[in-house]
């Protein structure tokens, strides 16, 4: 594994208290915790943050335990690269589909997501951070991949495809799933400005 892969794996295994002063966060309102968490990561290189509500986390956690493999298309140029995501408890590791197909156990991650549940009982939220390989994607892409991964497990119709991929591959329609995911990457078109 490369040096970057080792760094991604190490960062995904950090505890929340190793990242922030957990005791100080516990004294803040849930809204302030979200603000502090997002601001803390906003200017950091190679990492993006997200926050899940307890209902989002509960659904994602339950479903990812039963169906840990997810495929995510990442737009690049005129085409796309396919990433394979593998949940392992509170962690998800994304690698290229090619690397995953060669050997899932040694496939080098390009993004490592950690879900920190230490504040779920008190604040009803889960703090997430994803460390990325900057050679593989931008921070904007990494943030979108995290949202896409959460969506894949949280949204019932999208999860039906993820579940099929894991348990009934003959019912998994890659083209339909891919096209829907790629449409979510495209921002809605802006209405034309009125003439002056």
């Amino acid at each position: 594994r490369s040096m970057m892969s080792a760094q991604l794996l190490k960062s995904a295994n950090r505890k929340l208290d190793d990242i922030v002063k957990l005791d100080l966060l516990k004294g803040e309102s849930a809204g302030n915790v979200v603000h502090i968490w997002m601001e803390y990561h906003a200017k950091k290189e190679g990492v993006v943050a997200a926050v899940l509500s307890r209902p989002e986390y509960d659904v994602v956690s339950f479903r990812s335990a039963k169906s840990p493999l997810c495929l995510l298309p990442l737009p690049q140029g005129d085409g796309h690269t396919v990433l394979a995501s593998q949940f392992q408890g509170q962690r998800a590791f994304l690698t290229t589909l090619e690397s995953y197909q060669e050997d899932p156990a040694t496939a080098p991650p390009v993004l490592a997501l950690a879900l920190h549940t230490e504040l779920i009982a008190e604040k009803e939220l889960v703090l997430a951070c994803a460390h990325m390989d900057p050679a593989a994607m931008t921070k904007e892409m990494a943030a979108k991949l995290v949202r896409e991964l959460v969506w894949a497990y949280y949204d019932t119709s999208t999860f039906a495809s993820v579940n099929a991929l894991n348990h009934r591959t003959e019912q998994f329609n890659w083209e339909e799933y891919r096209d829907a995911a790629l449409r979510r990457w495209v921002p809605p078109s802006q209405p034309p400005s009125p003439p002056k």
Side-chain angles (χ1 to χ4, degrees):
R1 292 184 185 227
S2 72
M3 177 85 83
M4 178 55 66
S5 295
Q7 288 174 335
L8 290 176
L9 293 171
K10 181 180 176 187
S11 64
N13 288 316
R14 292 175 66 196
K15 293 182 176 12
L16 184 59
D17 208 24
D18 296 334
I19 301 169
V20 295
K21 294 184 184 342
L22 189 54
D23 289 341
L24 293 178
L25 280 185
K26 287 181 178 181
E28 297 288 340
S29 69
N32 281 347
V33 169
V34 170
H35 177 75
I36 291 166
W37 183 251
M38 297 306 286
E39 284 297 311
Y40 175 78
H41 289 93
K43 292 185 175 73
K44 286 184 152 286
E45 290 297 317
V47 64
V48 296
V51 178
L52 281 70
S53 67
R54 184 179 197 136
E56 285 175 315
Y57 169 77
D58 288 345
V59 170
V60 170
S61 178
F62 178 78
R63 289 176 172 175
S64 64
K66 296 192 175 308
S67 298
L69 177 64
C70 182
L71 299 179
L72 299 170
L74 174 65
Q76 292 189 324
D78 292 336
H80 63 276
T81 298
V82 180
L83 299 179
S85 170
Q86 185 80 35
F87 265 96
Q88 297 171 6
Q90 305 305 311
R91 311 285 181 259
F93 299 95
L94 282 74
T95 187
T96 64
L97 181 58
E98 295 82 19
S99 294
Y100 182 84
Q101 287 172 327
E102 286 175 21
D103 185 358
T106 62
V110 294
L111 187 138
L113 173 68
L115 301 174
H116 299 284
T117 59
E118 290 91 334
L119 296 173
I120 197 167
E122 296 172 47
K123 308 292 182 193
E124 295 286 312
L125 49 84
V126 172
L127 302 179
C129 63
H131 292 261
M132 53 177 255
D133 178 351
M137 68 190 73
T138 64
K139 277 187 75 149
E140 181 181 87
M141 290 172 146
K144 180 68 174 164
L145 277 169
V146 170
R147 288 192 301 273
E148 277 296 306
L149 185 58
V150 170
W151 179 259
Y153 285 95
Y154 186 72
D155 178 69
T156 302
S157 64
T158 306
F159 177 69
S161 293
V162 173
N163 195 48
L165 171 67
N166 281 268
H167 303 287
R168 298 179 312 279
T169 53
E170 72 283 353
Q171 294 177 12
F172 177 64
N173 184 331
W174 165 245
E175 289 78 17
E176 186 178 293
Y177 174 82
R178 176 203 60 211
D179 292 348
L182 289 172
R183 281 193 299 276
R184 288 191 297 273
W185 279 89
V186 178
S189 58
Q190 298 291 325
S193 301
K196 293 184 178 186

